[in-house]
Amino acid sequence: MKKSLLATLLITVTVGASYSQSKRNKSHFSLIIGSCFKSDTVDININGHELVRDVVIDSNFSTGVTQLAIYQDEDGLWVLNENEKINLGSLDVNKTLALNIKINGVATSKSIDLRKGWILMLDNCYTESKSGKPERSVTIQQHKKTVVLE
């Protein structure tokens, strides 16, 4: 009886340890700057840290994304802009990102719960306003699985 209980406990601990190692690290995230940007000047701050300032971006006609992306992995926080890749250390990320983005001087703030998805797609497309007129609006889609662009 003790042997079977010990074996069951050992298997449970092993499976639990394997599962916890396969889970995403809570500090990892990706921010993809996506659709509807055309020669727009962008500033991006996350959790009070300035990451991008006065960068001009364009959404690619084929892919629908820009040349700008930000991500954090075990090696730190990375900003990719065209062929340049800069490591900015690491951000202390709990469960929430405080994202402040300024597009052509217009500031928008978003609070992002990473438990809903750590792959973030930021767009600046036209949406219908309350008055019924189209206006550009910053939206963020969150994904838990790899995003496939078609």
Side-chain angles (χ1 to χ4, degrees):
M1 173 92 172
K2 285 185 178 182
K3 286 184 180 181
S4 65
L5 183 59
L6 183 61
T8 303
L9 181 62
L10 184 60
I11 290 171
T12 304
V13 169
T14 303
V15 170
S18 297
Y19 176 74
S20 68
Q21 289 176 358
S22 69
K23 287 177 65 176
R24 177 191 71 88
N25 183 317
K26 291 184 188 325
S27 68
H28 292 191
F29 68 90
S30 296
L31 175 63
I32 303 160
I33 313 302
S35 298
C36 305
F37 289 92
K38 185 169 173 116
S39 297
D40 293 309
T41 303
V42 175
D43 298 344
I44 299 175
N45 292 301
I46 295 178
N47 292 357
H49 297 276
E50 183 177 75
L51 306 179
V52 174
R53 183 167 176 83
D54 294 330
V55 173
V56 178
I57 58 174
D58 288 291
S59 297
N60 181 288
F61 178 76
S62 296
T63 63
V65 297
T66 67
Q67 74 278 8
L68 179 64
I70 298 168
Y71 71 93
Q72 182 162 280
D73 62 12
E74 58 277 346
D75 295 324
L77 180 69
W78 298 90
V79 175
L80 285 77
N81 187 12
E82 294 186 23
N83 296 328
E84 186 177 26
K85 184 176 179 180
I86 301 169
N87 186 318
L88 300 176
S90 289
L91 279 179
D92 183 22
V93 177
N94 196 352
K95 297 173 189 162
T96 306
L97 289 182
L99 175 67
N100 295 305
I101 183 164
K102 191 183 292 185
I103 303 169
N104 300 326
V106 178
T108 302
S109 295
K110 302 277 186 182
S111 180
I112 304 189
D113 182 353
L114 291 176
R115 293 175 293 186
K116 294 179 181 178
W118 50 90
I119 301 170
L120 313 171
M121 180 73 79
L122 186 144
D123 296 318
N124 188 39
C125 298
Y126 284 96
T127 58
E128 190 173 312
S129 68
K130 293 177 184 177
S131 64
K133 296 180 183 177
E135 63 181 29
R136 283 177 116 183
S137 176
V138 174
T139 58
I140 297 178
Q141 298 173 25
Q142 293 182 250
H143 305 275
K144 290 184 178 181
K145 294 183 180 179
T146 303
V147 177
V148 178
L149 302 173
E150 294 181 18

